[in-house]
Amino acid sequence: MALEKLLEKNKTAIHKKWFDSVVKTYPLDTSRFLKTSKDFFANPVGGNLSNGLAVILDELIKGPDREKVIFSLDPIIRVRAIQDFSPSQALAFIASLKRIVREMLKKDLRHHDTLSSQLLQFERRVDELLLLAFDIYMGCRERIYDLKANEEKNKVYKAFKRAGLIT
């Protein structure tokens, strides 16, 4: 059986485990809320996370369409970039997909030697996704630092203007 078919067959379970692994990175109250509230308007982070992970998983299974992946990954990374995560913590959820897939397909991998090479290809796609996520993350962090620097410049300018030091 081809890896793509196995992944497709186990997609719902893989998605659930992946979503749960991401949610566990949040504080307990937040993770409970992200898991329980299904309303997109009451819980946009959880909704975007769940839908985004589903699209990304679909794309990784069939061979990624870069634009679809970026469109789904960007909102997830934007939220994690402004939260209190280190860069490695913010992006570790992507690497966790490899572990989840290996655990889910452990029995099948033992019995089919050809799956190992296909799994390596899948894991390469996950690694490429991680690099793409890093680019998005760094772009978001640069934007945050630019906004903070501009805000400080404006504060200093306004203070100087009020003091009469700038005309």
Side-chain angles (χ1 to χ4, degrees):
M1 182 178 277
L3 181 68
E4 184 178 336
K5 288 182 183 176
L6 279 172
L7 290 172
E8 200 61 50
K9 180 177 138 190
N10 293 290
K11 184 169 52 175
T12 304
I14 293 169
H15 174 262
K16 184 182 179 335
K17 282 190 176 204
W18 197 21
F19 178 78
D20 288 345
S21 76
V22 177
V23 168
K24 285 179 186 174
T25 64
Y26 290 96
L28 188 58
D29 290 341
T30 306
S31 70
R32 229 180 275 139
F33 177 74
L34 291 174
K35 278 185 173 182
T36 56
S37 181
K38 303 294 183 198
D39 181 10
F40 237 103
F41 294 103
N43 182 10
V45 173
N48 277 332
L49 179 62
S50 181
N51 288 346
L53 293 178
V55 170
I56 292 166
L57 184 58
D58 277 341
E59 291 302 313
L60 286 172
I61 290 171
K62 65 182 180 184
D65 174 345
R66 185 177 171 85
E67 295 306 312
K68 280 185 183 176
V69 169
I70 290 172
F71 184 77
S72 299
L73 185 61
D74 188 74
I76 297 169
I77 300 301
R78 282 183 187 277
V79 168
R80 293 181 72 83
I82 60 170
Q83 293 173 324
D84 195 23
F85 290 117
S86 69
S88 61
Q89 290 170 324
L91 302 177
F93 76 94
I94 295 171
S96 72
L97 179 60
K98 294 195 297 191
R99 177 188 45 79
I100 291 166
V101 167
R102 281 189 177 270
E103 286 173 7
M104 296 288 296
L105 304 180
K106 192 182 331 184
K107 292 177 187 172
D108 296 304
L109 289 170
R110 277 192 223 129
H111 295 69
H112 298 88
D113 292 335
T114 57
L115 289 179
S116 295
S117 64
Q118 294 173 7
L119 181 63
L120 285 175
Q121 282 182 314
F122 177 80
E123 289 180 342
R124 251 185 251 120
R125 283 184 244 168
V126 173
D127 291 340
E128 290 168 4
L129 176 69
L130 183 57
L131 294 174
L132 181 61
F134 185 73
D135 288 342
I136 294 169
Y137 178 87
M138 289 309 298
C140 291
R141 296 302 292 189
E142 286 172 12
R143 181 76 176 127
I144 290 168
Y145 292 129
D146 286 345
L147 289 171
K148 286 180 180 180
N150 286 336
E151 186 177 326
E152 289 303 314
K153 278 193 255 180
N154 289 337
K155 283 181 186 177
V156 170
Y157 176 80
K158 287 176 183 175
F160 281 2
K161 191 170 184 175
R162 277 192 308 266
L165 298 172
I166 297 176
T167 56

